[in-house]
Structures are given as structure tokens and as C-alpha cells.
């Protein structure tokens, strides 16, 4: 039920509540060019996460991070200023932990802020962030040909991932969201819903910021390689936390490292880049100097690292699960047909990698298609055009 007399005239206005890498920042900037009031509120107070973000319009001052009233004041102001609220990430439909805690203390409902927002007739949009987002571990572990859950650091950590936790979130998420963005299939459990759509454009980048011709600062310039050698890029964010004691992680480092050592023993020149802890704005300087970007071999889809690499014109190796690609194809056939990522599994990666190493022309051709694909589907201006339509349709419903 919509409360009468509050903001009955809807405006072209959207507030991105919370960060999602840099996607919300660049999308909001482009929507502003299309006449939208589009702003970003960063409620994440974890200092370690800030290296992944590129900007925000609003944030709670550090000295007020624990003050629920500071969040509440911003919340009230936002209700007057925006008609669409876009959230992202599992457990992320919120205006911040302190406000949730206070709501639980007063009305025994940590999600009261969102339910009240809905009662006012505001539109809620949500972007899914992967395996534990509304899908039970039991269901996700059944995706083949190999279960990525079996090599996940969080498999037996229920505070991070469990059937109960994941499904509880999915129920709430589906209860309050008017429109949900999924990227890459995974249609089981609470991801089977008529309000969930494939929207790869949400994961957007600034095509000029990630340009193949980006100028490399002196402190990031790498030495030239010997003729016939290649530079591989394999990044694992928060690698220590995401790997077990034997170095196993869902990024497949435990598969790549032994393979690279094997190829080196054969005399193949390979320089491996494994950056960690570098601000996202700067890591592109290393990506731009790589020849091949190597990513996950069992998960089934790709993430920010691969999208950045494609925008920089680099060939990417990553396992693309056929079932998920088919799900994407049903909604966006062009996207599925044009996807330039080179799919590989733990069994096929050696032959796939050998082929790309020995064929520089093939790498160049794939890299060129990757740039075209990323500009078409993952540039911030393409995202703004898609969301201009999505948000407008919600405002008239």
C-alpha cells in the first residue's frame, strides 16, 4: 500500500544506495547527462574496501560512522529527493548497519527502513552479486562439470555462505525489489522470478578510463619481454582471505601456477603478474601491459577483472558455463553470440593456453573483439541508455 500525499508526482531521480565496485558511480554520471538526478551514497565504512571504489556523492563522516541518527537524517532527506532506489550485493538492501540495528531495537525489524520506503511508493531496484545471492549452497554446488563450492574458502563458513542464510536473503530480496538485475544465468532457487532480468550493462565501465591506449606512469612501467615470451595477468582480490592453506581458491590459482611452472620448464617465456592490494584505479596499468588475462576455470562466469581486461582490449580465458550462457541467450541473444571470452576448464586449460601463447595474431584478434564487445555492452553510456528505459518503466507502473 502506498501512503497518500507523499511524493505523488514521480521524478527522474535515482539514488544508488551503497557501492558495487565502480559501477554505480559511472552509471550515475552517465544518467545525469540524460537528465536524471542520479547520485551515489556510500555507506560502506570499511576502509579496506575503498580501493575498489571510484567516487561517491554522499557519505557519513568518519566521526559519525556509529551514529544511527546520522544515517537516519540522510535517509529522510533521500525520501524527499528520489523516487528510485538502487541497491546491490547480498545483504546490501540497506542504508547502513547502524540504522538497521536501531530499527531492530525499536520495531524488531532490521529492514523497517526498506519496508517504509516501499510503503511510500518508492521503486526498489537490486543488482545480484553472485553465487550466494538468493541461491542455496546445495543448489549452487550442483552446477557442473566440477563443483566450485568444493574449492571455495567459504564452503564451511555459515556466517558467509549457507543454505539458510542465502535463502533467507533471497526471500527478503524478492519481497521488496520491483526489478532485479542478474548477470550471467544461475537460474535456481530465488533467482527464478519474473522480476529478475539479465542486465549485463549494469556492470559498466568508463570506456575512456579503461582505454587500450592508456598512458602508463613511470612507476608502473614493466620491462620489455624477450621475443616469443608472454605476460599473463592473474589477479585474486583479497587473495589471502579467499584461499585455503594450500593456495586453493575459486580463481583457480592452484591450477594455473603449476601449469605455468610446467611451461616455463619447457623453455616458454612467461612473466606472471599477480597484483594484490593495488587501488583499482591503478591496477589497469598492469592489465594494459599483459598479453593474456587468466581467470576462473570452474565458477561459470566472469567478473570485474575480465570486464576491465576486455575493455582494455585483452583476450580473457574464463570458464563460461553453457547452461548460464543459454539463460542469457534467452533474454539477450546478441550478447551470448558476441561474447569473446575464451572458455576453458581445468582439463582443457593447458591446450587453450598453449594455443594463445603461440598465436600472437589470434590474441590480437580476440583482444580487438573484446574491446568492441565491452564498449557495446559494458560501457557506462550503454548502461545509462538501458537504465533510462528500465527506470522510466518503473516510474509509470
Amino acid at each position: 500500500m502506498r501512503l497518500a500525499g507523499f511524493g505523488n508526482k514521480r521524478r527522474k531521480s535515482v539514488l544508488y544506495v551503497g557501492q558495487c565496485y565502480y559501477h554505480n558511480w559511472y552509471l550515475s554520471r552517465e544518467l545525469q547527462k540524460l537528465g536524471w538526478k542520479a547520485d551515489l551514497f556510500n555507506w560502506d565504512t570499511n576502509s579496506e574496501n575503498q580501493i575498489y571504489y571510484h567516487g561517491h556523492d554522499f557519505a557519513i563522516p568518519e566521526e559519525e560512522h556509529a551514529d544511527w541518527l546520522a544515517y537516519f537524517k540522510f535517509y529522510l532527506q533521500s525520501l524527499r529527493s528520489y523516487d528510485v532506489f538502487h541497491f546491490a550485493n547480498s545483504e546490501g538492501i540497506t542504508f547502513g548497519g547502524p540504522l538497521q540495528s536501531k530499527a531492530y531495537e525499536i520495531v524488531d525489524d532490521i529492514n523497517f527502513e526498506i519496508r517504509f520506503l516501499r510503503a511510500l511508493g518508492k521503486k526498489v531496484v537490486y543488482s545480484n552479486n553472485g553465487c550466494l545471492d538468493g541461491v542455496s549452497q546445495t543448489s549452487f554446488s550442483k552446477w557442473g562439470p566440477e563443483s566450485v563450492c568444493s574449492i571455495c574458502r567459504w564452503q564451511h563458513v555459515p556466517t558467509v555462505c549457507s543454505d539458510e542464510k542465502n535463502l533467507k536473503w533471497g526471500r527478503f530480496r524478492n519481497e521488496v525489489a520491483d526489478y532485479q538485475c542478474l548477470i550471467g544465468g544461475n537460474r535456481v532457487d530465488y533467482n527464478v522470478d519474473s522480476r529478475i532480468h539479465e542486465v549485463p550493462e549494469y556492470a559498466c565501465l568508463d570506456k575512456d578510463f579503461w582505454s587500450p591506449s592508456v598512458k602508463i606512469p613511470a612507476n608502473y612501467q614493466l620491462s620489455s619481454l624477450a621475443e616469443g615470451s608472454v605476460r599473463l595477468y592473474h589477479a585474486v582480490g583479497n587473495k589471502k582471505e579467499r584461499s585455503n592453506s594450500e593456495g586453493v581458491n575459486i580463481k583457480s590459482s592452484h591450477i594455473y601456477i603449476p601449469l605455468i611452472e610446467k611451461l616455463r620448464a619447457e623453455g616458454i617465456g612467461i612473466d606472471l603478474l599477480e597484483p594484490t592490494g593495488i587501488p583499482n584505479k591503478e591496477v589497469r596499468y598492469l592489465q594494459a601491459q599483459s598479453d593474456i588475462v587468466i581467470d576462473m576455470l570452474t565458477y561459470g562466469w566472469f567478473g570485474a577483472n575480465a570486464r576491465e581486461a576486455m575493455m582494455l582490449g585483452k583476450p580473457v580465458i574464463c570458464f563460461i558455463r553453457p547452461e548460464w550462457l543459454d539463460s542469457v541467450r534467452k533474454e539477450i541473444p546478441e550478447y551470448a553470440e558476441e561474447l569473446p571470452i575464451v572458455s576453458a576448464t581445468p582439463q582443457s586449460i593447458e591446450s587453450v593456453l598453449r594455443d594463445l601463447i603461440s598465436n600472437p595474431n589470434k590474441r590480437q584478434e580476440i583482444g580487438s573483439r573484446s574491446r568492441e564487445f565491452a564498449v557495446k555492452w559494458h560501457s557506462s553510456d550503454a548502461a545509462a541508455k538501458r537504465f533510462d528505459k528500465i527506470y522510466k518503466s518503473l516510474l509509470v507502473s
Side-chain angles (χ1 to χ4, degrees):
M1 177 183 296
R2 188 179 187 191
L3 298 179
F6 192 102
N8 291 318
K9 184 178 180 181
R10 288 171 172 166
R11 305 144 295 182
K12 289 175 58 175
S13 55
V14 56
L15 179 67
Y16 294 91
V17 188
Q19 296 275 17
C20 184
Y21 286 111
Y22 38 72
H23 307 318
N24 292 340
W25 176 250
Y26 289 113
L27 176 51
S28 62
R29 302 310 97 176
E30 289 297 327
L31 280 171
Q32 290 174 2
K33 298 176 184 178
L34 298 181
W36 283 80
K37 177 179 174 59
D39 297 309
L40 169 58
F41 171 47
N42 178 17
W43 52 257
D44 186 357
T45 59
N46 187 333
S47 59
E48 295 182 0
N49 291 341
Q50 306 308 312
I51 65 172
Y52 302 111
Y53 309 149
H54 287 204
H56 60 255
D57 297 291
F58 307 106
I60 302 300
E62 185 174 357
E63 62 273 16
E64 299 179 41
H65 277 179
D67 182 5
W68 73 271
L69 192 56
Y71 295 83
F72 185 58
K73 289 178 180 178
F74 179 81
Y75 170 73
L76 291 179
Q77 292 170 0
S78 70
L79 295 179
R80 289 288 183 185
S81 302
Y82 307 94
D83 287 316
V84 178
F85 292 80
H86 195 141
F87 301 86
N89 305 320
S90 181
E91 314 294 329
I93 302 181
T94 176
F95 278 75
L99 188 55
Q100 283 189 315
S101 298
K102 193 64 177 181
Y104 183 76
E105 177 185 327
I106 296 175
V107 296
D108 195 28
D109 182 2
I110 65 170
N111 298 308
F112 178 78
E113 71 204 86
I114 306 303
R115 300 188 201 283
F116 184 69
L117 181 151
R118 293 271 299 166
L120 294 176
K122 305 298 183 179
K123 296 299 180 177
V124 173
V125 180
Y126 175 74
S127 290
N128 188 299
N129 77 321
C131 52
L132 47 66
D133 199 330
V135 175
S136 70
Q137 187 181 120
T138 297
S139 294
F140 197 87
S141 66
K142 294 177 181 178
W143 290 112
E146 296 185 26
S147 172
V148 68
C149 296
S150 66
I151 60 170
C152 180
R153 165 72 174 78
W154 311 115
Q155 182 183 18
H156 302 297
V157 184
T159 55
V160 176
C161 178
S162 70
D163 287 2
E164 180 182 3
K165 180 177 183 293
N166 299 1
L167 295 178
K168 179 181 178 181
W169 168 250
R171 282 191 294 272
F172 170 71
R173 182 198 75 185
N174 286 14
E175 174 189 341
V176 300
D178 296 288
Y179 190 102
Q180 296 189 52
C181 307
L182 188 63
I183 305 170
N186 186 25
R187 297 289 187 147
V188 291
D189 296 339
Y190 285 99
N191 281 352
V192 181
D193 189 284
S194 61
R195 292 161 297 180
I196 298 177
H197 303 274
E198 296 291 344
V199 191
E201 293 93 339
Y202 172 73
C204 66
L205 306 88
D206 184 313
K207 63 180 182 292
D208 297 320
F209 188 82
W210 281 275
S211 168
S213 58
V214 60
K215 184 177 180 181
I216 312 298
N219 60 316
Y220 276 108
Q221 290 180 5
L222 303 175
S223 59
S224 299
L225 298 177
E227 186 175 352
S229 297
V230 296
R231 180 168 281 132
L232 305 182
Y233 183 95
H234 179 63
V236 184
N238 299 316
K239 185 176 182 178
K240 183 177 180 180
E241 292 79 8
R242 296 171 68 188
S243 304
N244 68 16
S245 58
E246 298 177 347
V248 176
N249 56 54
I250 66 171
K251 283 284 190 173
S252 303
S253 302
H254 55 290
I255 298 173
Y256 283 119
I257 301 304
L259 174 57
I260 290 170
E261 291 304 318
K262 176 182 178 180
L263 298 178
R264 283 172 171 167
E266 295 177 11
I268 299 175
I270 297 177
D271 180 32
L272 177 62
L273 298 178
E274 296 183 276
T276 185
I278 298 176
N280 183 263
K281 287 185 176 182
E282 299 174 22
V283 76
R284 63 194 168 118
Y285 301 134
L286 299 179
Q287 294 168 319
Q289 296 176 82
S290 65
D291 296 299
I292 306 170
V293 172
I294 52 179
D295 211 354
M296 300 175 283
L297 295 173
T298 56
Y299 183 85
W301 205 251
F302 56 95
N305 180 52
R307 289 188 294 268
E308 292 166 7
M310 287 192 289
M311 191 64 85
L312 288 166
K314 303 298 178 181
V316 177
I317 297 176
C318 181
F319 174 53
I320 303 298
R321 181 169 285 108
E323 299 97 318
W324 291 4
L325 189 62
D326 286 342
S327 292
V328 174
R329 184 178 286 110
K330 290 177 182 177
E331 278 198 86
I332 318 175
E334 280 185 89
Y335 187 91
E337 295 304 320
E338 296 170 8
L339 183 62
I341 285 182
V342 181
S343 186
T345 65
Q347 291 71 38
S348 67
I349 182 57
E350 181 171 346
S351 61
V352 169
L353 188 55
R354 284 181 183 275
D355 178 56
L356 284 182
I357 289 175
S358 62
N359 287 282
N361 290 337
K362 186 173 184 177
R363 297 199 302 268
Q364 185 176 13
E365 185 273 332
I366 295 174
S368 178
R369 284 195 288 116
S370 296
R371 170 68 179 181
E372 293 176 3
F373 177 87
V375 169
K376 179 177 179 178
W377 294 103
H378 290 290
S379 62
S380 52
D381 49 348
K385 292 176 183 177
R386 179 81 188 271
F387 279 92
D388 180 57
K389 296 178 181 178
I390 292 172
Y391 295 152
K392 282 180 178 177
S393 68
L394 291 174
L395 290 175
V396 299
S397 63

